[in-house]
Amino acid sequence: MARLRSGAPRSQTHTFGAGELSELYAAHRLSMVRLAMLLVDDLASAEDVVQDAFAAMAARRGTLDDRGAALAYLRISVVNGSRSALRRRRTARAYVPPHEAPPDGPESHAVLAEEHREVYEALEHLAPRQREVVVLRYWSHLSEAEIAQALGISQGSVKSTASRALDALEIILSKEGQR
């Protein structure tokens, strides 16, 4: 089996230069693409697999046991790359996107708009600090540390203020729901 060697070259090893790699590419690219095409059944994927095999060989800049080992190395790389391409394709085909809800009708928009209006009105009844914490946390999606820094208070104060504000909102909204 052909292997690239990274260590010191032995007397039988050969280091491939850019010119030799270009010659190898010119001489064997089409046969490698045909091989990959038989394995992956798609010309674009086959060309990608072959390109990746040559790129890997160029990037390793190692030495081969002999000049004939380069072709064997490329052939193995193409077969392994084709297997990987087929695995990726099989995974992509097996993926089932999550079920999407049907688009909302006009009545759901009206209900949502009413809920938003109620929340906005409830926010007006909160203390200024509570309102700031709730808005920064749940509308601006800031972390507790970011809120503490923005308001010049401790993270513990952010947590307790948020907790009290949510309790107050729950009470306010439940009273409005009873009306």
Side-chain angles (χ1 to χ4, degrees), residues 126-160:
L126 293 179
R129 174 64 50 88
Q130 289 179 334
R131 187 178 323 116
E132 292 168 349
V133 169
V134 168
V135 168
L136 290 174
R137 181 74 180 125
Y138 298 102
W139 271 270
S140 297
H141 303 289
L142 296 182
S143 69
E144 291 167 352
E146 292 169 325
I147 296 169
Q149 183 181 17
L151 298 178
I153 59 176
S154 69
Q155 286 187 31
S157 294
V158 171
K159 289 179 186 180
S160 63

Side-chain angles (χ1 to χ4, degrees), residues 1-10 13-17 21 24 52-74 76-77:
M1 182 165 107
R3 291 186 179 257
L4 281 176
R5 300 194 189 277
S6 303
R10 297 184 314 200
T13 61
H14 178 76
T15 303
F16 280 84
L21 191 58
L24 192 65
D52 290 343
F54 276 100
M57 186 174 179
R60 300 244 350 224
R61 296 190 191 267
T63 56
L64 292 170
D65 292 338
D66 59 30
R67 290 182 62 112
L71 191 56
Y73 174 83
L74 286 170
I76 291 169
S77 294

Side-chain angles (χ1 to χ4, degrees), residues 26-148:
H28 298 285
R29 182 188 69 82
L30 288 177
S31 64
M32 292 296 159
V33 169
R34 276 190 231 113
L35 171 65
M37 180 70 183
L38 291 171
L39 297 172
V40 298
D41 252 356
D42 172 27
L43 181 60
S45 297
E47 289 174 341
D48 288 345
V49 165
V50 171
Q51 189 68 27
D52 290 343
F54 276 100
M57 186 174 179
R60 300 244 350 224
R61 296 190 191 267
T63 56
L64 292 170
D65 292 338
D66 59 30
R67 290 182 62 112
L71 191 56
Y73 174 83
L74 286 170
R75 194 173 295 118
I76 291 169
S77 294
V78 167
V79 170
N80 289 338
S82 297
R83 288 178 182 157
S84 294
L86 289 173
R87 262 192 310 275
R88 285 190 301 274
R89 186 183 299 166
R90 189 172 33 249
T91 301
R93 286 181 180 160
Y95 174 73
V96 176
H99 175 71
E100 291 186 28
D104 294 333
E107 65 280 349
S108 63
H109 286 293
V111 170
L112 185 60
E114 179 64 21
E115 288 174 356
H116 284 171
R117 186 192 56 75
E118 290 172 1
V119 171
Y120 288 131
E121 288 176 5
L123 281 172
E124 292 176 5
H125 297 320
L126 293 179
R129 174 64 50 88
Q130 289 179 334
R131 187 178 323 116
E132 292 168 349
V133 169
V134 168
V135 168
L136 290 174
R137 181 74 180 125
Y138 298 102
W139 271 270
S140 297
H141 303 289
L142 296 182
S143 69
E144 291 167 352
E146 292 169 325
I147 296 169

